[in-house]
Amino acid sequence: MTHASPHAAHDGGRPAPRHTPDSDSQAEILDLDAEVFAEHIASITAWLPIERGPRHIVDLGCGTGAGAFALLARFPEAEVTAVDASAGHLHRLRERAEVLGVADRVRTVLADLDTDWPELGRPELVWASASMHHMADPDRTLRKVHDLLSPGGLFAVVELAGFPRFLPDDAPKERPGLEERCHAALAHHHAEHVPHRGADWGPKLAAARFTVEGKRTIIVNVDGSRSKAVGHYALSSLKRLRGSAAGTLTAEDLGSLDRLLDTDSPLSIPRRSDLAVRTERTVWGARRA
């Protein structure tokens, strides 16, 4: 989720999507993320401690819709209000909803949740996947969600363990361990700019008067041979990693990373046969009394 807009607008009268190279790149990663992790997202939605299917779901920081569409599939009687600060992401989500034939079950809301919240109704389920750590004041957001939910409603928070790994530990041959050094540099960047990434949301949910009813960690290991999307996902992700970590990498590591990202190079990411996506995602299911 990006905080690209300080205002909120419903579908009617929404501003035209703003397409910039950075936002397009992020949207591409979100779409690839949805494809690569489709089975794992479905597993998370199936696990949610819900006895009766919700009729109204709010997806906070919906991105291009991975969670929203998984929830629509899981709960066929539900409608989703998808909220994001990026007009471009919401535009892609609406296009995808048309393709999937669920446009009549999706409402999009452009909003920066660090400012005033729009009217979102009274949902029975609120979903926030990899979006809580972007909030300037997560504790405030948790309180807002608590007040938003119907009594007895569920808040599902999905958090990332960190940036995915793609390469074997001994790769590339000339600079073994390059990816780990990139991740160390990225961790420093995240500590400064996204301090809540990877947080344990359980205590914070309890402090916001939720009852945490379950917690589950999903181990992800998707071999590149299973999906062509893995190579594209690795390339797009490592390009973004380079943008954040370049300032702290050595010249040798940066040169090696650039060769991996050069699609004309015989050593490039898309030409490797040893790629995999390795990471973890944790979900908390928290109930409003």
Side-chain angles (χ1 to χ4, degrees), residues 44 47-48 125-129 132 154-158 283-286:
I44 289 173
W47 169 86
L48 294 176
L125 172 62
V126 174
W127 169 274
S129 178
M132 284 299 302
L154 190 78
F155 185 25
V157 179
V158 183
V283 56
W284 290 261

Side-chain angles (χ1 to χ4, degrees), residues 1 59-61 67 127-133 156-160 281:
M1 177 182 176
D59 183 356
L60 296 179
W127 169 274
S129 178
S131 58
M132 284 299 302
H133 61 238
V157 179
V158 183
E159 185 55 79
L160 312 177
R281 295 189 175 187

Side-chain angles (χ1 to χ4, degrees), residues 23-235:
S23 64
D24 285 346
S25 172
Q26 185 180 29
E28 178 188 18
I29 290 178
L30 291 173
D31 287 344
L32 289 167
D33 186 280
E35 183 175 351
V36 170
F37 294 103
E39 292 181 14
H40 300 89
I41 298 172
S43 175
I44 289 173
T45 62
W47 169 86
L48 294 176
I50 293 178
E51 295 180 1
R52 185 173 61 184
R55 301 302 296 267
H56 181 204
I57 301 169
V58 169
D59 183 356
L60 296 179
C62 59
T64 56
F69 297 127
L71 291 163
L72 288 172
R74 171 71 174 84
F75 302 109
E77 302 299 318
E79 296 181 353
V80 170
T81 298
V83 186
D84 203 275
S86 167
H89 291 171
L90 294 178
H91 178 70
R92 286 202 185 205
L93 188 153
R94 288 190 294 270
E95 289 184 328
R96 182 64 175 161
E98 291 284 354
V99 170
L100 295 175
V102 295
D104 61 333
R105 297 171 60 200
V106 176
R107 167 179 172 248
T108 58
V109 176
L110 180 67
D112 182 345
L113 297 176
D114 285 332
T115 60
D116 293 334
W117 279 42
E119 173 56 47
L120 297 174
R122 201 62 145 173
E124 296 91 9
L125 172 62
V126 174
W127 169 274
S129 178
S131 58
M132 284 299 302
H133 61 238
H134 285 290
M135 304 298 174
D137 185 352
D139 295 322
R140 170 184 178 268
T141 302
L142 291 174
R143 294 191 298 270
K144 295 284 282 187
V145 172
H146 182 275
D147 294 342
L148 175 70
L149 272 168
S150 296
L154 190 78
F155 185 25
V157 179
V158 183
E159 185 55 79
L160 312 177
F163 204 80
R165 266 70 169 171
F166 300 100
L167 295 167
D169 292 340
D170 59 354
K173 186 176 180 179
E174 76 278 10
R175 299 292 295 174
L178 169 65
E179 193 171 24
E180 284 307 309
R181 292 191 293 278
C182 289
H183 278 267
L186 187 65
H188 177 76
H189 174 84
H190 280 158
E192 182 176 353
H193 298 284
V194 197
H196 298 287
R197 185 182 175 103
D200 179 359
W201 293 102
K204 288 183 174 293
L205 286 162
R209 296 183 290 135
F210 285 97
T211 299
V212 179
E213 294 195 348
K215 175 184 176 183
R216 183 185 180 193
T217 297
I218 304 290
I219 307 298
V220 178
N221 193 335
V222 181
D223 190 274
S225 63
R226 289 180 52 193
S227 171
K228 291 182 179 179
V230 168
H232 298 300
Y233 184 53
L235 182 65

